[in-house]
Amino acid sequence: MNIARYSIERPTSSWILLLVLLIGGFVALQSLGRLEDPEFTIKQALVVTPYPGASAQQVEEEVTVLLENALHELPYIKHITSNSMPGRSQIMVEVRETFRSDALPQIWDELRRKINDQSRNLPPGAGPAMVQDDFSDVYGVLLAITGDGYSLPALYDHAKYLRRELALVPGVAKVVISGKQQEQVVAEVSRARLANLGIPPQRIYELLSTQNTISDAGRVRLGNDAVRFATSGEFTSVEQLNTLIISNPGAREQIYLGDVANIYRQEQPIPSHILHFNGEPSLWLGVSFTRDVNVVEVGAHLRERIEELNYATPVGMELHSIYNQPAEVESSVSGFLNNLAQAVVIVIVALLLTMGLRSGFLIGLVLLLTVLGTFIFMAMAGINLHRVSLGALIIALGMLVDNAIVITEGMLVGVQRGQTRLRAAQNVLRQNAWPLLGATLIAILAFAPIGLSNDATGEFAGSLFWVLLISLSLSWLTALLLIPFLGERLFRKGIKPAESEEALYSNPVYSGYRRLLKTALRFRLLTMGLMGVLLVVSVMGFMQVKQSFFPSSNTPVFYVDLWYPQGTDIRATGEDITRAEAWLLSQDGIEQVATTVGQGAPRFTLPYIVEMQHENYGQLIVRTENTDILPSLMGKTRDYLANAHPDARPKIRRMEIGPPVKAAIEVRYSGADPDILRQLSAQAQEVLSREPALAYVRDNWRERAKVLRPQFNETHARRVGISKQDVDDLLLANFRGKRVGIYRDGTELLPILVRAPESERVYLEQWQDIQVFSTALNRYVPMPQVVDAMPLEWEDQVIHRRDRKRTLTVMADPDPLFNGTPAQIFSNIEAEIMAIPLPAGYEMAWGGEHEASGDAQAAVFKTLPLGYLAMFIITVLLFSSVRRAAVIWTTVPLSIIGVTLGLLLTNQAFSFMALLGILSLSGMLIKNGIVLLEQVLTEERSGKSGYQALVDASVSRVRPVGMAAVTTILGMIPLLFDEFFASMAVTIMFGLGFATLLTLIVVPVMYSLVMRKSEYTSS
């Protein structure tokens, strides 16, 4: 089919295509979903199993190991990590990268069945095991509810109302409430009075347990009616508990519970989760969105609904925004759309200045249509607008004009040679259509490794490949279909025919290049030797380039993680963090501080790491006025914490981009004996502590914690009829409270606890005064008769396992003001850590950023050979020659010269995105090489000698190759100011700048060497 003739002589079809791309692109742009970062699936589920009263070791051996063995049978599992603590097992299950989000529901169902089947083998008192498969849900809107003078239950009542209403907003998937404190009914029973009255505590336990239960009394037929029995006696108010008769059966005197107990309703005294906002107690509301929605639009509907509900907000209560993803997305996407618009304008201006007004306008218009057309196909493919997809469009801009430049240049030169516009278009399409298609495919395949990578990083950055696939494919089609059509109209008048062939390329740029090329061809070996020297120097220089994984976010937020000694009470943790919170709020530049104690916040961004439950943990989420003041505030915070909070071990870090890691530097030791693991940890921590760039060196087993061990005298206890359970129940009831029943308050079920009054909750040193009731003797017995002593000992309260082996992880992070990268620190400490001797049966492995970066690169490089093989085969097929293909591929390794120079000059780190930049460079270089070599063959077929054909072809391709490089480099400028894409932009700009010289000099020189014909060296 003659595409040029069809597009010119059938203008209606061309106009329809142009209008579809123009109007459809604008419509599609408005309909595309908007996100801050691309979605990637956190393939994790959490299995939590309570085992009250058990030590960490008992939890590990009797619960964790049992469940781990069952989970290991699942074929989908990548890693199983567990955390055994006193009274609780927490197992994190991570699914292999090859499974994406659509497969997870089925996997979680199988996991839940495995856990349920194994639960019957759990020891008495353990369970039930709970599977939290929504652990990875992201609550993009995180709100705090505060109220001066309001209790947390009052805040919770309003939070429940908001949850119900906001869940109805279209696009909202789920609304959760965090920080709710369990209310309870407390009966403070005087043991002294019980002893005087001879009433055993078990009687009170039984009455409170059975009196308020719901039981079926059946029904009876009365005539035609079925009437249900509903026995009275249930408590309808807390005060009614005072009237519960507790007298022993047969006793004449009626004794009520109120006679021996003080009964009231209160919040649980030992909270599981404490939340503050700007120093005030609060509850947090997390709102998650459904998939593939425009977050900005849903955020606007959510904001409108919240404003409508203001009338129902009690006076004094306020709703604050901790994190507002729609606002962040709107800012981020608007910024990127502005960057995209700036890049388009920069490229078009460059084309107008260098290609002439008509050619520049023609190529710029086709570029705009290609970008808008890309939005259409993105909408069809379900690719949203976010950091990566918009960045991909900016990266593609320079390459999008390559095909249009070649066709426009060829058509313009044909008209200048005296051909008709139709003939010129036909000739240039006949010569270049298939080579440009091959070159475009190669440019696309250069990004295939990231698109085909099956790990989390590939999922995060995968849209880079798909957007480039769409846009570059469309650029080839628009170049073939629209350039001839539009060129026929723009080149009708004002194009002066050239006086001769030489006059076409007679300006100073062409003349200077011609002389340079002839000199390089005369000294071919010297030229290539110089390139070899530069390559060796650049490889050596690359060793000095900083290495990194992903950069920090541009959001003006930083986290302060505070860990206190293991065994610290959550209330003590909260009290100390409150002081740090107040100090932060007094600093200039701080907008707000949100505090979570006992566990992490709900996951409000994908890269956020949610810390599991630990009483000695707290986190401050600090938002500043702008990112510029982050370093100074983080430094001041570090110094303040070191002086004012000596017990806390702080970790200060910025928000991250991309898949997260728990610590930048991680050393994992696996083995059986906790003592040996702690010895290895001490040696590793000593090495890490000597590295000045590191801060917050610790391990995940933490310190050993205190434990009281009542020494139960079984001989004496048997004699008086008292069991170990009796002693445990007494201690529980005396110091914390024993749960004995349920009080129903509408939809709420409140536990009923029995404990001693505060006056009888003796100090620990007076435990000898406690009396335990003997049912056998029907009297109270002093505790010292059955407990010989209560020594204080030390125990491991945290036991971590990884893949069914005890594993202790030593962790460290760079100082917040450190200017380098974790990779630099890793190179400093690697040898010393590796030199630590390991006992037989013990293993060491690296984790942290080193492992994550290695896994991500391994996933990319796994598909790299296949992609490069396909690229090489296409090159060979285009020229039907392995030698000609090899000439083009010579330039690929030489591009590292410009990359190294750029990274060193700009002090940018070689990150994962820079690696993608190098991959894209190879596609650009090969594409330019194909365009040049195809012209060489065309010149040779016209009858020119080898040398003359080589020189003329190279000169004729100066503008297309040079302009392709210039437009790409200029299009990268907006990305230099984005931290995420900066290293990639530098890699492409400097790499391509030097690579253009390689294409125009090295390719002709290598061609003359490889083809081994004498006519390539003489004029």
Side-chain angles (χ1 to χ4, degrees):
M1 180 180 178
N2 193 325
I3 298 176
R5 179 180 293 277
Y6 182 87
S7 66
I8 291 173
E9 295 182 353
R10 301 284 184 91
T12 304
S13 300
S14 300
W15 279 117
I16 289 175
L17 174 62
L18 189 151
L19 291 174
V20 166
L21 294 176
L22 183 65
I23 298 172
F26 277 113
V27 173
L29 177 60
Q30 304 306 315
S31 67
L32 283 172
R34 285 164 164 78
L35 300 171
E36 183 177 10
D37 290 311
E39 294 179 341
F40 65 90
T41 309
I42 299 176
K43 307 175 184 71
Q44 294 176 335
L46 183 64
V47 182
V48 180
T49 310
Y51 190 8
S55 67
Q57 184 171 339
Q58 290 170 327
V59 169
E60 177 202 26
E61 295 172 347
E62 300 176 29
V63 175
T64 303
V65 170
L66 192 73
L67 298 180
E68 281 181 347
N69 290 337
L71 292 171
H72 185 71
E73 297 173 4
L74 293 171
Y76 322 104
I77 304 302
K78 177 184 178 183
H79 292 301
I80 299 173
T81 55
S82 65
N83 175 11
S84 300
M85 306 173 67
R88 186 173 65 253
S89 165
Q90 298 179 128
I91 303 175
M92 184 68 72
V93 182
E94 185 177 353
V95 176
R96 293 207 309 265
E97 298 93 341
T98 50
F99 298 96
R100 293 296 169 98
S101 56
D102 55 348
L104 289 183
Q106 179 64 35
I107 292 174
W108 299 148
D109 284 345
E110 291 192 39
L111 183 149
R112 191 172 275 106
R113 284 199 295 271
K114 281 285 184 187
I115 293 297
N116 290 338
D117 290 345
Q118 196 62 265
S119 292
R120 69 191 66 172
N121 298 322
L122 292 174
M130 297 166 286
V131 178
Q132 299 177 11
D133 57 8
D134 59 352
F135 181 74
S136 60
D137 286 355
V138 177
Y139 301 96
V141 172
L142 192 58
L143 306 170
I145 305 175
T146 62
D148 187 17
Y150 286 94
S151 65
L152 286 180
L155 294 178
Y156 181 63
D157 287 339
H158 186 58
K160 287 191 296 182
Y161 170 74
L162 290 176
R163 178 177 62 185
R164 185 187 68 213
E165 295 298 323
L166 298 183
L168 300 175
V169 174
V172 171
K174 188 192 301 183
V175 182
V176 298
I177 302 172
S178 295
K180 177 203 172 190
Q181 302 302 326
Q182 177 67 57
E183 279 195 282
Q184 59 189 19
V185 175
V186 179
E188 290 187 343
V189 179
S190 170
R191 293 190 174 276
R193 299 204 63 186
L194 282 182
N196 291 334
L197 295 170
I199 299 174
Q202 282 76 11
R203 174 157 180 77
I204 295 177
Y205 300 164
E206 290 169 4
L207 288 172
L208 288 174
S209 175
T210 58
Q211 183 78 12
N212 209 35
T213 58
I214 292 178
S215 54
D216 184 14
R219 72 179 204 179
V220 66
R221 177 175 175 177
L222 296 179
N224 293 330
D225 298 327
V227 181
R228 184 176 66 88
F229 289 110
T231 307
S232 64
E234 294 179 15
F235 304 126
T236 57
S237 70
V238 173
E239 289 72 22
Q240 282 188 347
L241 270 71
N242 287 296
T243 63
L244 181 66
I245 298 175
I246 62 171
S247 309
N248 289 322
R252 293 182 179 180
E253 185 181 5
Q254 287 190 339
I255 302 172
Y256 299 95
L257 181 60
D259 296 333
V260 297
N262 178 28
I263 303 169
Y264 56 91
R265 181 170 171 169
Q266 67 161 191
E267 293 175 25
Q268 187 174 302
I270 304 177
S272 58
H273 193 191
I274 302 172
L275 296 174
H276 284 175
F277 182 81
N278 284 348
E280 296 183 57
S282 67
L283 297 179
W284 292 0
L285 228 65
V287 182
S288 67
F289 303 111
T290 55
R291 292 178 64 88
D292 299 323
V293 296
N294 187 325
V295 170
V296 176
E297 287 184 4
V298 178
H301 296 323
L302 197 64
R303 187 169 57 250
E304 291 171 6
R305 186 59 181 147
I306 290 173
E307 291 174 357
E308 291 171 1
L309 296 174
N310 278 341
Y311 77 93
T313 303
V315 176
M317 278 194 196
E318 294 183 58
L319 201 61
H320 313 271
S321 173
I322 298 174
Y323 189 80
N324 187 351
Q325 189 186 61
E328 301 291 345
V329 169
E330 188 171 19
S331 173
S332 175
V333 172
S334 298
F336 262 99
L337 285 173
N338 288 336
N339 288 344
L340 179 62
Q342 291 171 20
V344 170
V345 170
I346 289 170
V347 170
I348 291 176
V349 170
L351 291 169
L352 292 172
L353 294 177
T354 56
M355 297 289 293
L357 291 180
R358 298 187 189 194
S359 298
F361 174 77
L362 172 57
I363 298 170
L365 177 60
V366 172
L367 169 65
L368 180 61
L369 293 172
T370 303
V371 171
L372 291 173
T374 301
F375 291 137
I376 298 174
F377 288 98
M378 285 174 62
M380 294 170 62
I383 300 174
N384 298 313
L385 291 178
H386 46 65
R387 185 192 310 274
V388 174
S389 60
L390 287 169
L393 274 175
I394 298 174
I395 293 167
L397 280 181
M399 294 185 282
L400 293 183
V401 299
D402 289 0
N403 295 324
I405 288 174
V406 171
I407 302 299
T408 303
E409 169 81 1
M411 190 173 175
L412 179 61
V413 169
V415 172
Q416 289 175 334
R417 284 173 173 160
Q419 300 172 2
T420 64
R421 296 181 298 280
L422 175 59
R423 173 59 60 189
Q426 288 175 322
N427 288 342
V428 73
L429 259 62
R430 187 184 308 113
Q431 176 188 338
N432 292 290
W434 296 115
L436 287 179
L437 176 60
T440 301
L441 287 175
I442 286 171
I444 293 170
L445 286 172
F447 288 91
I450 186 59
L452 301 177
S453 173
N454 58 13
D455 78 329
T457 309
E459 192 175 358
F460 181 79
S463 57
L464 194 71
F465 166 72
W466 298 109
V467 171
L468 285 161
L469 170 65
I470 293 169
S471 58
L472 291 179
S473 301
L474 193 58
S475 76
W476 181 76
L477 290 172
T478 53
L480 267 57
L481 297 173
L482 293 180
I483 294 291
F485 165 67
L486 295 171
E488 194 274 338
R489 282 154 176 75
L490 288 173
F491 296 154
R492 285 178 179 176
K493 297 180 181 179
I495 306 298
K496 297 181 180 179
E499 298 176 2
S500 63
E501 189 71 20
E502 291 75 17
L504 287 171
Y505 306 106
S506 59
N507 68 44
V509 174
Y510 291 122
S511 300
Y513 169 68
R514 189 187 300 270
R515 287 193 296 271
L516 178 62
L517 178 59
K518 287 182 176 181
T519 302
L521 287 170
R522 187 177 304 118
F523 303 102
R524 296 180 298 174
L525 294 177
L526 179 62
T527 301
M528 296 313 299
L530 178 61
M531 291 295 108
V533 170
L534 287 176
L535 178 60
V536 171
V537 172
S538 64
V539 170
M540 294 173 62
F542 193 78
M543 303 299 178
Q544 307 303 315
V545 174
K546 296 188 295 186
Q547 304 291 309
S548 178
F549 184 34
F550 275 110
S552 299
S553 169
N554 292 326
T555 307
V557 169
F558 69 93
Y559 306 123
V560 182
D561 293 330
L562 293 168
W563 288 90
Y564 292 83
Q566 187 64 35
T568 301
D569 188 283
I570 189 172
R571 292 164 290 187
T573 303
E575 289 163 5
D576 194 71
I577 286 181
T578 299
R579 293 194 296 114
E581 185 180 53
W583 179 85
L584 280 165
L585 289 169
S586 69
Q587 302 305 300
D588 294 335
I590 300 288
E591 285 192 350
Q592 63 184 45
V593 180
T595 306
T596 172
V597 179
Q599 65 186 64
R603 191 189 305 275
F604 55 92
T605 66
L606 267 171
Y608 177 77
I609 296 177
V610 180
E611 192 60 59
M612 292 188 284
Q613 288 187 346
H614 296 277
E615 287 195 39
N616 59 324
Y617 169 78
Q619 183 183 70
L620 301 157
I621 304 170
V622 186
R623 178 175 283 272
T624 64
E625 292 175 353
N626 54 65
T627 54
D628 296 334
I629 60 175
L630 275 177
S632 62
L633 279 173
M634 290 168 71
K636 287 174 65 177
T637 304
R638 176 201 60 187
D639 297 338
Y640 161 75
L641 292 172
N643 295 323
H645 299 263
D647 289 340
R649 305 183 74 177
K651 174 184 175 181
I652 304 172
R653 56 195 170 95
R654 291 180 60 175
M655 284 187 72
E656 301 294 326
I657 298 175
V661 292
K662 272 215 164 186
I665 304 293
E666 289 185 3
V667 188
R668 289 196 290 265
Y669 292 105
S670 299
D673 190 340
D675 291 329
I676 295 178
L677 292 176
R678 288 189 180 277
Q679 290 169 15
L680 292 170
S681 168
Q683 294 177 66
Q685 289 191 52
E686 184 181 352
V687 172
L688 297 177
S689 299
R690 290 199 297 266
E691 172 58 44
L694 283 176
Y696 188 42
V697 180
R698 75 278 187 195
D699 66 53
N700 63 347
W701 282 41
R702 307 290 167 185
E703 307 85 0
R704 285 192 167 101
K706 301 169 186 173
V707 58
L708 284 165
R709 294 200 186 280
Q711 302 299 302
F712 183 65
N713 189 321
E714 189 168 350
T715 304
H716 292 174
R718 293 293 182 198
R719 189 177 298 132
V720 295
I722 292 175
S723 66
K724 175 181 176 298
Q725 184 68 51
D726 294 332
V727 173
D728 288 342
D729 287 346
L730 176 63
L731 292 172
L732 178 64
N734 193 79
F735 290 101
R736 183 168 182 176
K738 179 179 174 61
R739 178 171 174 167
V740 296
I742 290 292
Y743 174 78
R744 291 175 177 80
D745 182 16
T747 59
E748 298 292 318
L749 299 179
L750 309 185
I752 300 175
L753 269 71
V754 173
R755 71 182 180 199
E758 187 173 358
S759 60
E760 295 184 22
R761 270 179 262 154
V762 296
Y763 292 107
L764 186 60
E765 294 80 4
Q766 299 172 323
W767 64 269
Q768 294 92 340
D769 296 337
I770 304 175
Q771 297 189 52
V772 56
F773 187 82
S774 168
T775 54
L777 302 179
N778 198 28
R779 64 180 176 84
Y780 284 88
V781 175
M783 178 78 81
Q785 287 192 22
V786 293
V787 174
D788 294 335
M790 198 176 292
L792 190 66
E793 298 180 2
W794 298 88
E795 69 171 356
D796 289 308
Q797 285 201 347
V798 180
I799 300 176
H800 283 273
R801 295 166 62 89
R802 179 181 173 86
D803 296 332
R804 302 190 298 163
K805 292 183 287 189
R806 284 179 174 171
T807 302
L808 184 151
T809 304
V810 181
M811 299 177 287
D813 288 280
D815 184 274
L817 301 184
F818 176 60
N819 236 356
T821 64
Q824 291 174 305
I825 301 173
F826 179 82
S827 63
N828 294 340
I829 55 95
E830 180 183 14
E832 279 194 84
I833 294 292
M834 296 292 289
I836 296 174
L838 296 176
Y842 289 78
E843 303 170 2
M844 189 278 284
W846 292 103
E849 195 166 297
H850 175 76
E851 179 184 47
S853 178
D855 289 347
Q857 293 183 20
V860 170
F861 284 120
K862 186 162 61 177
T863 56
L864 192 63
L866 186 61
Y868 270 50
L869 177 62
M871 292 164 66
F872 185 75
I873 290 173
I874 292 173
T875 315
V876 172
L877 293 177
L878 281 174
F879 297 104
S880 300
S881 168
V882 174
R883 285 195 289 172
R884 289 190 176 94
V887 167
I888 296 174
W889 278 80
T890 305
T891 60
V892 173
L894 293 175
S895 63
I896 194 67
I897 301 171
V899 172
T900 300
L901 178 65
L903 292 175
L904 288 175
L905 285 178
T906 59
N907 197 33
Q908 283 288 336
F910 182 73
S911 65
F912 183 77
M913 299 306 293
L915 171 63
L916 300 186
I918 285 185
L919 297 181
S920 68
L921 267 180
S922 59
M924 297 177 191
L925 292 179
I926 294 168
K927 186 176 183 181
N928 288 339
I930 288 172
V931 170
L932 176 55
L933 237 58
E934 179 61 31
Q935 187 63 32
V936 172
L937 295 178
T938 301
E939 298 288 347
E940 288 180 344
R941 285 192 290 266
S942 70
K944 293 183 180 180
S945 67
Y947 179 81
Q948 194 61 43
L950 195 57
V951 173
D952 289 350
S954 300
V955 171
S956 69
R957 287 309 188 200
V958 166
R959 185 154 65 169
V961 171
M963 281 309 303
V966 169
T967 52
T968 301
I969 291 170
L970 293 177
M972 290 288 110
I973 290 176
L975 290 185
L976 285 174
F977 306 101
D978 185 270
E979 203 163 348
F980 183 72
F981 281 106
S983 62
M984 175 186 272
V986 168
T987 299
I988 292 176
M989 292 174 75
F990 283 85
L992 189 59
F994 190 81
T996 303
L997 176 65
L998 298 179
T999 302
L1000 294 174
I1001 299 295
V1002 173
V1003 169
V1005 171
M1006 280 300 299
Y1007 188 78
S1008 69
L1009 285 169
V1010 171
M1011 299 313 292
R1012 299 176 183 171
K1013 293 183 180 180
S1014 58
E1015 61 262 31
Y1016 287 117
T1017 57
S1018 58
S1019 55

